[in-house]
Amino acid sequence: MTREDFISQVNSGCALFLEKRHAEVRAVSEHAAPLVTALMALTRGGKKMRPALARLGWQAAGGRGDAVVELGVALELFQAAALVHDDVIDRSATRRGLPSAHMRFEALHRESGFSGDHAHFGTTGAILSGDLSLAWASEAFFHAQATAMHDGVAINPLAASTFHRMHTEVITGQYLDVLEEVRTPARTEADAVARARGVLRYKAAKYSTEYPVVLGAALAGGSDALCRAFAAAALPVGEAFQLRDDLLGVFGDPDTTGKPVGDDLREGKRTELIAYGLFRSSAQDSAELAQMLGDPELSEHQVQRAREILLDAGAADEVERSIEQLTAQSVEHTAGLAELGVAAEVLEEFDRLRGNLVLRTV
């Protein structure tokens, strides 16, 4: 099965899974159907980065059968829940160039002539839709385990423990992200960067790259040594991927990112990029940048001024260096996979994915 065929199967699996859940929800009430349709839009199409990485872990461990497709569905549902909740927390109006889930529910409130606060209804609907997606991710993962066992696979217990830990860490990382926007700012650059990297790692990087490959390998019965080696090679890629995302959040093209540039500034995100900007610019520029952070009314002119401060401070260049260092770490750890006998074609595909992720073409 080619990667394209696999992605097609995951897309079909997501659609079929949500169609069944749609019927279940409508059996409760036709009025509750929007809870599912919001998720259908999020899981439809796309590059399926996390399932693709899970497939590599699965192949590295010699996996056979359809369980990895069901694992891909579980990862997509988990991702959908994270995105829905993240957009609520960040008050993001768009996702991938389309209205975010809470904006869809706000529009439903307005168009239906409902009474009460449309914004509160939008937030509530999105939270509940995200909760359903999180619960259904666990259901899909249970199906993947059952399929693997039916196929005679001796599943590594790391599969279940990793899946549960992923929930704990992402939700905790999301809280830390919110906390960084309001707590007393770090007093040193080193502390600011460490805080930013911690948020990045637990909110996004680990579940974007490390955990998918570990879940794929463990579900196929891969050894602890293989899972550890793949985790070591994949985590730096996830961190580099998220650092690239931080750069695009300030310097990117809205047509590429799917959301207005400058939203990270308006939300007050204390990213690694911002940490370098605050500590490496002049006192005047640093104070000006700090004043901009968290201002929801930040104008395009102010966003451009923030870019100038960050460029003059060398903040963007420093983040690029971090991306290069993380990429090199991943390449170095990939040698450990070869020593464990992982097939050359799997390593080649991982190399291609790494390049695409670091350049943010996935």
Side-chain angles (χ1 to χ4, degrees):
M1 178 170 53
T2 66
R3 180 185 171 194
E4 289 72 23
D5 290 338
F6 170 73
I7 290 172
S8 178
Q9 287 192 23
V10 173
N11 278 324
S12 297
C14 287
L16 180 60
F17 186 96
L18 287 174
E19 284 169 9
K20 291 179 179 178
R21 303 294 86 73
H22 194 222
E24 290 176 6
V25 168
R26 289 175 62 194
V28 176
S29 171
E30 289 283 347
H31 300 294
L35 290 169
V36 189
T37 54
L39 301 174
M40 288 176 166
L42 268 179
T43 55
R44 187 181 299 120
K47 299 292 181 65
K48 297 291 185 284
M49 174 188 84
R50 291 164 187 82
L53 285 164
R55 177 173 174 258
L56 288 181
W58 173 262
Q59 291 175 322
R64 297 289 186 274
D66 296 328
V68 69
V69 175
E70 294 174 333
L71 174 59
V73 172
L75 288 168
E76 284 295 293
L77 290 168
F78 183 90
Q79 163 78 345
L83 294 180
V84 169
H85 288 159
D86 191 49
D87 286 341
V88 169
I89 292 168
D90 291 343
R91 296 184 281 264
S92 298
T94 60
R95 169 65 63 178
R96 298 172 182 167
L98 298 172
S100 49
H102 64 280
M103 297 304 293
R104 290 172 181 267
F105 282 102
E106 280 194 32
L108 172 64
H109 186 282
R110 289 195 191 93
E111 293 163 4
S112 302
F114 295 158
S115 62
D117 184 348
H118 62 265
H120 178 69
F121 180 84
T123 297
T124 302
I127 290 172
L128 295 173
S129 182
D131 287 348
L132 278 175
S133 193
L134 202 58
W136 289 337
S138 292
E139 183 178 345
F141 179 71
F142 173 81
H143 289 323
Q145 286 185 301
T147 297
M149 288 188 289
H150 182 267
D151 291 340
V153 177
I155 300 172
N156 188 323
L158 269 175
S161 62
T162 298
F163 189 74
H164 295 308
R165 186 166 63 250
M166 182 171 71
H167 285 67
T168 300
E169 292 185 349
V170 170
I171 294 169
T172 302
Q174 182 66 270
Y175 174 75
L176 292 178
D177 189 26
V178 174
L179 183 64
E180 279 304 309
E181 296 173 17
V182 298
R183 70 188 292 202
T184 302
R187 295 186 178 183
T188 66
E189 179 182 285
D191 188 24
V193 171
R195 285 192 196 179
R197 189 65 72 89
V199 169
L200 176 150
R201 179 175 296 127
Y202 290 105
K203 177 187 172 183
K206 290 175 80 70
Y207 99 91
S208 292
T209 56
E210 177 186 342
Y211 289 156
V213 294
V214 171
L215 286 168
L219 195 67
S223 67
D224 286 356
L226 174 63
C227 292
R228 285 194 300 269
F230 229 143
L235 177 58
V237 181
E239 295 186 353
F241 174 76
Q242 295 304 322
L243 287 175
R244 178 68 64 199
D245 197 56
D246 291 343
L247 284 172
L248 291 173
V250 177
F251 296 101
D253 179 354
D255 292 336
T256 302
T257 63
K259 66 177 184 177
V261 173
D263 270 8
D264 283 359
L265 297 169
R266 296 184 182 95
E267 293 157 11
K269 297 296 183 186
R270 296 277 174 169
T271 63
E272 196 165 319
L273 174 69
I274 295 301
Y276 293 131
L278 290 172
F279 284 94
R280 298 192 182 188
S281 57
S282 67
Q284 181 178 340
D285 285 353
S286 178
E288 186 178 357
L289 179 60
Q291 188 68 28
M292 294 181 193
L293 293 176
D295 179 0
E297 304 302 323
L298 208 62
S299 67
E300 289 300 316
H301 174 74
Q302 288 173 302
V303 171
Q304 180 56 38
R305 174 60 184 145
R307 289 194 193 103
E308 292 172 1
I309 293 172
L310 292 167
L311 289 172
D312 289 345
D317 289 339
E318 191 61 41
V319 173
E320 289 286 3
R321 280 190 283 273
S322 293
I323 291 172
E324 290 175 4
Q325 291 168 359
L326 288 163
T327 303
Q329 288 175 22
S330 175
V331 171
E332 181 180 349
H333 285 299
T334 303
L337 292 171
E339 292 170 3
L340 288 171
V342 175
E345 56 267 28
V346 173
L347 298 178
E348 289 169 4
E349 180 62 21
F350 181 62
D351 285 342
R352 282 193 292 272
L353 263 177
R354 175 170 52 221
N356 291 337
L357 288 166
V358 169
L359 293 175
R360 202 58 164 86
T361 56
V362 170

